[in-house]
Amino acid sequence: MRVDLNADAGESFGAWALGDDAALLESVTSVNVACGFHAGDPSIIRRTIRLAARAGVRVGAHPGYPDLQGFGRRTMALGPGEVEDIVLYQVSAVLGMARAEGVRLAHVKPHGALYNQAARDPALAAAVARAVVSLESGLMLVALAGSALLQAGVDAGLPVAAEAFADRAYLANGTLAPRHLGGAVIRDADVVAARALTIVREGRVRTLEGADVSVRADTLCIHGDTPGAATLARVIRTALEAAGVLVSAPA
Amino acid sequence: MRVDLNADAGESFGAWALGDDAALLESVTSVNVACGFHAGDPSIIRRTIRLAARAGVRVGAHPGYPDLQGFGRRTMALGPGEVEDIVLYQVSAVLGMARAEGVRLAHVKPHGALYNQAARDPALAAAVARAVVSLESGLMLVALAGSALLQAGVDAGLPVAAEAFADRAYLANGTLAPRHLGGAVIRDADVVAARALTIVREGRVRTLEGADVSVRADTLCIHGDTPGAATLARVIRTALEAAGVLVSAPA
Amino acid sequence: MRVDLNADAGESFGAWALGDDAALLESVTSVNVACGFHAGDPSIIRRTIRLAARAGVRVGAHPGYPDLQGFGRRTMALGPGEVEDIVLYQVSAVLGMARAEGVRLAHVKPHGALYNQAARDPALAAAVARAVVSLESGLMLVALAGSALLQAGVDAGLPVAAEAFADRAYLANGTLAPRHLGGAVIRDADVVAARALTIVREGRVRTLEGADVSVRADTLCIHGDTPGAATLARVIRTALEAAGVLVSAPA
Amino acid sequence: MRVDLNADAGESFGAWALGDDAALLESVTSVNVACGFHAGDPSIIRRTIRLAARAGVRVGAHPGYPDLQGFGRRTMALGPGEVEDIVLYQVSAVLGMARAEGVRLAHVKPHGALYNQAARDPALAAAVARAVVSLESGLMLVALAGSALLQAGVDAGLPVAAEAFADRAYLANGTLAPRHLGGAVIRDADVVAARALTIVREGRVRTLEGADVSVRADTLCIHGDTPGAATLARVIRTALEAAGVLVSAPA
């Protein structure tokens, strides 16, 4: 039994700090580094890569929409060509900065609205996968379990990691319950840890409707902007390891 | 006798077109591709790289200040660390996009105010050189002949190309005459072509004061935003080749 | 019989020029000035206001989404509160600049994706109307004839102008045919002029399906980024005036 | 004896929070609201105006350079015309938003590098003053005591407020000691409060060299981004009021 714990990092920008990367890095095994379009700037990207490398945490790129004010969370209608190009640009920038730091960039996980739209839209999903393939760097694509994006990665011959969310309720069709629904976001650390265990060991997760649905989880997402994220990460990791699960980044 | 002719390219942005890259590419041997901070966007960068590769023209990156409205031409006070990081980010982005297109990125030439400030300020010059060195990609640094930036490239062990300007008057100290001085910008194509020949064959250029000053020119700059830039490039190239000068990119 | 001819203006940005405002201003009676979010910058806004005032053309504000690269044409999911605030900010900026030039700002017309989304979505439409109402400046709201945005203006007690498009085909339900459909955009100046006449004099327009649908037109839109826009504007104006239609801005 | 206490506010941006405006508003009598170029966005501007109005604190505009990443603190070489236009644009935007909230905008204080450059450069200072004058709104210009900017305001016929800094050491020539010099920034709240009293009651301030220099202070600046800024503001206000100084915004 093995699972990766991932969190977003490097989400500060200029004078503005966001998240507690140093604390999160003590518990997660992968980080997704914001690439400068929805968050992050060149100096913050570099510092985050250094920090992650020093903590022995796997580094990935976290490209998003060019929407700084909206933090990349607002749905935008970019065409597949535009999406391919912005992903290629952002991942290339972080890949080069990682190389300059002697760090291997290991994966790509789209951010926010891009992640959600590519999970549902096969054309956008294929565009993201094409961008990653064109870098020819052995990069792994991280995508929502069961999504069009995960499938696009497989179709493109990329190594992929299916992502699940222990702190989010699911719907019967295996997608995430929208945040505005009551019970969609689970905040109790012990409940989240218990769900994480069920996901990893039994491959299933409780839906909002009360039944279980199966889910594959190569990696579990820790939301770094949740208050108490670092504590939550530690609780989940401790629970997983106590149950004999190996918490580590994919090879 | 051999010289490179370089021009900036990919300076459009979103809906806004600038310059006539296709026409310029018929005469120049190197282009400097804007990297998205002062001009260019991911889709334009990619298209420009493709266009240059198809024309057999050498592709370089042209990083600038994060000042889209000012086109990177306004002096800005970034510290050396910030400069190193923005150059590394931008060159990495274009390097990755070039690789995705099967194109080798060959050189880096800073743009506008960054070029001018790094020409004079050894700390900024060293920061630019460090960024290029850290990419470990055999990239050549293009810098004003006789400048602090050229020296920083040499000191860092980088291959360098000294740049001269056939359409700009020089001062007695070997620097460019500021644009606002009368006679600082030369527009007559035949005069510019004659100056190009003198620079390349005799290693000297006429100053605003009327004397000659020596100048090294591995590459001559064609300003793509000058009206008639493509014609000017053709006139210069024709004049150089008629005089037996080999016009080609450095190996 | 009276109609206004409006065109977008001030769509340049920094070093990038777009459109031929000076030529368009000879034929149109209103301009919509880009406010800096999707196009325009403070210096261009001011210059455009001056140019319009000198030409005796009515000046309005043309707020758009914060998407410079996409020219405000990409659908974005902003909430009603965000939309109200970005409209209020942008119109206030242009209103103040117009006052500084001794020019009365007369109307507000949302741009691109914001115009289209507010035409269909009553919540966004109401948000735009609230922003205009809160300025208490007698500003007129310009919106697609028959749209939710026009209705929101009426509901808010604003003076409104219904806009029609002589160079676009309509659908049977009175909305514009999407641009990607064959025949959706009409480029022949004489055909466009004839359609303009039918719209103004008979209150109807031919649909893509071949039947007519009724349309109210207080103002006709001239797309300034169409090649030959200034010529098209002149042809339409000449045809309207030859038919006895008064071409002038609303009082 | 009377003095105003001012602080910057509304310096958050999108998802990023900065400063504790609510706490500061309990002690200061004026706030300078960031206008969206170096910090702030339309929704944050509006919220800040509301918060200040509810607290009975005078609202001003705080325009800065278009440099979000550098927080408007990096020197930039904009020409006087560009400066006039960006100030006019930003102040107009905040003025309109304040009117929409039923709040009178009372003053303009340039931010960061713009404040510092306009303090020294008469051409930039005149440009800022022209922008404020052109709004014809009775706006007061807040500028460093003894600066070119304060003089430009007087020359333009504007009401002005001279600003002094109780937490910064001065040089013998009456300017602020640069932040990188030892002792340039004073952090002990009691020392700062004592300096504030000396400035207000005796019109003089201790220099880094150890002598006193005279300073006029209609308003004292509280740096909101100093850790403990709200506490510092309260200590200063309490000390001033205990000494019989009326702490209030100018009429």
Side-chain angles (χ1 to χ4, degrees):
Chain A
M1 288 278 155
R2 169 189 192 143
V3 77
D4 175 51
L5 285 185
N6 81 79
D8 299 345
E11 296 187 320
S12 297
F13 178 76
W16 292 280
L18 194 73
D20 184 356
D21 290 354
L24 264 176
L25 283 167
E26 294 176 11
S27 300
V28 301
T29 44
S30 294
V31 282
N32 321 303
V33 180
C35 304
F37 275 38
H38 72 277
D41 64 43
S43 297
I44 285 164
I45 292 169
R46 196 166 195 181
R47 200 179 316 142
T48 306
I49 291 169
R50 277 184 196 159
L51 207 61
R54 209 177 305 142
V57 168
R58 190 178 69 153
V59 175
H62 198 41
Y65 282 137
D67 177 21
L68 205 58
Q69 191 187 315
F71 203 66
R73 284 188 175 143
R74 304 191 287 209
T75 297
M76 284 183 78
L78 273 70
E82 289 176 302
V83 163
E84 181 180 342
D85 293 342
I86 66 166
V87 170
L88 180 54
Y89 178 96
Q90 292 178 74
V91 177
S92 294
V94 175
L95 180 62
M97 297 197 90
R99 277 186 185 148
E101 292 296 326
V103 173
R104 191 179 70 90
L105 193 76
H107 67 277
V108 174
K109 174 183 163 183
H111 167 82
L114 176 57
Y115 180 93
N116 293 328
Q117 290 176 257
R120 289 186 307 263
D121 180 333
L124 296 184
V128 172
R130 271 198 308 276
V132 179
V133 165
S134 69
L135 282 160
E136 295 176 34
S137 301
L139 287 164
M140 174 176 282
L141 182 62
V142 177
L144 184 66
S147 68
L149 182 56
L150 195 73
Q151 188 57 48
V154 172
D155 293 347
L158 291 170
V160 298
E163 181 170 50
F165 294 78
D167 63 349
R168 293 289 300 279
Y170 280 69
L171 298 178
N173 65 2
T175 64
L176 294 178
R179 282 173 181 271
H180 66 267
L181 294 184
V185 180
I186 301 152
R187 303 191 192 281
D188 183 293
D190 293 326
V191 175
V192 175
R195 291 173 68 93
L197 265 180
T198 311
I199 290 172
V200 174
R201 293 198 300 188
E202 307 177 28
R204 57 189 177 81
V205 66
R206 182 61 46 91
T207 64
L208 211 55
E209 296 90 343
D212 278 3
V213 64
S214 55
V215 65
R216 167 184 160 196
D218 303 314
T219 184
L220 292 174
C221 178
I222 305 292
H223 288 103
D225 54 350
T226 307
T231 304
L232 181 61
R234 197 167 51 244
V235 170
I236 293 175
R237 181 165 186 159
T238 303
L240 288 167
E241 292 181 337
V245 176
L246 174 64
V247 179
S248 90
Chain B
M1 291 278 156
R2 170 189 191 141
V3 76
D4 175 52
L5 284 185
N6 82 78
D8 299 346
E11 295 187 321
S12 297
F13 179 77
W16 292 279
L18 193 73
D20 184 354
D21 289 355
L24 264 176
L25 283 167
E26 294 176 11
S27 301
V28 301
T29 44
S30 293
V31 283
N32 320 304
V33 179
C35 305
F37 275 39
H38 72 276
D41 65 43
S43 297
I44 285 165
I45 292 169
R46 196 168 195 179
R47 201 177 315 141
T48 306
I49 291 169
R50 275 183 199 162
L51 207 61
R54 210 177 304 142
V57 168
R58 191 178 69 152
V59 175
H62 198 42
Y65 282 136
D67 177 20
L68 205 57
Q69 190 186 315
F71 203 67
R73 286 190 173 141
R74 303 190 287 208
T75 297
M76 284 183 79
L78 274 70
E82 288 175 302
V83 163
E84 181 180 344
D85 294 342
I86 66 166
V87 170
L88 180 54
Y89 179 96
Q90 292 179 73
V91 177
S92 294
V94 175
L95 180 63
M97 297 196 91
R99 277 187 185 146
E101 292 296 325
V103 173
R104 191 180 71 89
L105 192 76
H107 67 277
V108 174
K109 174 183 163 183
H111 167 82
L114 177 57
Y115 180 92
N116 293 326
Q117 290 176 256
R120 288 187 305 263
D121 180 334
L124 296 184
V128 171
R130 270 199 309 277
V132 178
V133 165
S134 69
L135 281 160
E136 294 175 35
S137 301
L139 288 164
M140 173 176 284
L141 181 62
V142 177
L144 184 66
S147 68
L149 183 55
L150 195 73
Q151 188 57 47
V154 171
D155 293 347
L158 291 169
V160 298
E163 180 170 49
F165 294 79
D167 64 348
R168 293 289 300 278
Y170 279 70
L171 297 178
N173 65 2
T175 64
L176 294 178
R179 282 172 181 272
H180 65 268
L181 293 183
V185 180
I186 301 153
R187 302 191 192 282
D188 183 294
D190 294 326
V191 175
V192 175
R195 291 173 69 92
L197 265 180
T198 310
I199 291 172
V200 174
R201 293 198 298 188
E202 306 177 26
R204 56 188 178 81
V205 66
R206 181 63 46 91
T207 64
L208 210 57
E209 296 91 343
D212 279 2
V213 63
S214 54
V215 65
R216 166 183 160 197
D218 303 316
T219 185
L220 292 173
C221 178
I222 306 292
H223 289 103
D225 54 350
T226 308
T231 304
L232 181 62
R234 199 167 50 242
V235 170
I236 293 175
R237 181 165 187 160
T238 303
L240 287 167
E241 292 182 335
V245 176
L246 175 63
V247 178
S248 91
Chain C
M1 289 279 155
R2 168 188 192 146
V3 77
D4 175 51
L5 286 185
N6 82 77
D8 299 346
E11 294 187 322
S12 297
F13 180 77
W16 293 279
L18 193 73
D20 184 355
D21 289 355
L24 265 177
L25 283 167
E26 294 176 10
S27 300
V28 301
T29 45
S30 294
V31 283
N32 321 303
V33 180
C35 304
F37 274 40
H38 72 277
D41 64 43
S43 296
I44 285 165
I45 292 169
R46 197 167 195 181
R47 200 178 316 143
T48 305
I49 291 169
R50 275 183 196 160
L51 208 61
R54 208 177 305 142
V57 168
R58 191 177 70 153
V59 175
H62 198 41
Y65 282 136
D67 177 19
L68 205 57
Q69 191 186 316
F71 203 67
R73 284 188 174 143
R74 303 192 285 209
T75 297
M76 285 182 78
L78 273 70
E82 289 176 302
V83 163
E84 181 180 343
D85 293 342
I86 66 165
V87 170
L88 180 54
Y89 178 96
Q90 292 179 72
V91 178
S92 295
V94 175
L95 180 62
M97 298 197 91
R99 278 187 183 146
E101 292 295 324
V103 172
R104 190 178 72 89
L105 193 76
H107 67 277
V108 174
K109 174 182 162 181
H111 167 83
L114 177 57
Y115 180 93
N116 293 328
Q117 290 176 257
R120 289 187 304 263
D121 180 333
L124 295 184
V128 171
R130 271 199 309 278
V132 179
V133 164
S134 69
L135 282 160
E136 294 176 31
S137 301
L139 287 165
M140 173 176 283
L141 182 62
V142 177
L144 184 65
S147 68
L149 183 54
L150 195 73
Q151 188 57 47
V154 171
D155 293 348
L158 290 170
V160 298
E163 180 170 51
F165 294 78
D167 64 348
R168 294 288 301 276
Y170 280 70
L171 297 178
N173 65 1
T175 64
L176 295 179
R179 282 173 181 270
H180 66 266
L181 294 183
V185 179
I186 301 152
R187 303 192 192 280
D188 183 292
D190 294 325
V191 175
V192 175
R195 291 173 68 94
L197 266 180
T198 310
I199 291 172
V200 174
R201 293 198 299 188
E202 306 177 27
R204 57 188 178 80
V205 66
R206 181 64 45 91
T207 64
L208 210 56
E209 296 91 342
D212 279 3
V213 65
S214 54
V215 65
R216 167 184 160 196
D218 302 315
T219 185
L220 292 174
C221 179
I222 306 292
H223 288 104
D225 55 350
T226 308
T231 303
L232 182 62
R234 198 166 52 242
V235 170
I236 293 175
R237 181 164 187 162
T238 303
L240 288 168
E241 292 182 334
V245 176
L246 174 63
V247 178
S248 91
Chain D
M1 288 281 154
R2 169 187 191 146
V3 77
D4 175 52
L5 286 185
N6 81 78
D8 299 346
E11 296 188 319
S12 298
F13 179 77
W16 293 279
L18 193 73
D20 184 355
D21 290 354
L24 264 177
L25 283 166
E26 294 176 11
S27 300
V28 300
T29 45
S30 295
V31 282
N32 321 303
V33 179
C35 303
F37 275 38
H38 72 276
D41 65 43
S43 297
I44 286 164
I45 292 170
R46 196 167 195 180
R47 201 178 314 141
T48 306
I49 291 169
R50 276 183 196 159
L51 207 61
R54 211 178 302 142
V57 168
R58 190 178 69 153
V59 175
H62 198 40
Y65 282 136
D67 177 20
L68 205 57
Q69 191 186 317
F71 203 66
R73 285 188 174 143
R74 303 191 286 208
T75 297
M76 285 183 77
L78 273 71
E82 289 175 302
V83 163
E84 181 180 343
D85 294 342
I86 65 165
V87 171
L88 180 54
Y89 179 96
Q90 292 178 72
V91 178
S92 295
V94 175
L95 180 63
M97 299 197 90
R99 277 188 184 145
E101 292 296 325
V103 173
R104 191 180 70 89
L105 193 76
H107 68 276
V108 174
K109 175 183 163 182
H111 167 82
L114 177 57
Y115 180 92
N116 293 327
Q117 291 177 255
R120 289 187 306 263
D121 180 333
L124 295 184
V128 171
R130 271 198 309 278
V132 179
V133 164
S134 70
L135 282 161
E136 295 176 33
S137 301
L139 287 165
M140 174 177 282
L141 182 62
V142 177
L144 183 66
S147 69
L149 183 55
L150 195 74
Q151 188 57 47
V154 171
D155 293 347
L158 291 169
V160 297
E163 182 170 49
F165 294 78
D167 64 348
R168 293 289 299 278
Y170 279 69
L171 298 179
N173 64 1
T175 64
L176 295 178
R179 281 172 181 272
H180 65 267
L181 293 184
V185 179
I186 301 151
R187 303 190 192 281
D188 183 294
D190 293 326
V191 175
V192 175
R195 291 173 67 94
L197 265 179
T198 311
I199 290 172
V200 173
R201 293 198 299 188
E202 306 177 26
R204 57 188 177 81
V205 66
R206 182 61 47 92
T207 65
L208 211 56
E209 295 91 343
D212 278 4
V213 64
S214 54
V215 65
R216 167 183 160 197
D218 303 315
T219 185
L220 292 174
C221 179
I222 306 292
H223 287 104
D225 54 350
T226 308
T231 303
L232 182 61
R234 198 167 52 244
V235 169
I236 293 175
R237 180 164 188 161
T238 303
L240 288 167
E241 292 182 335
V245 176
L246 174 64
V247 179
S248 92

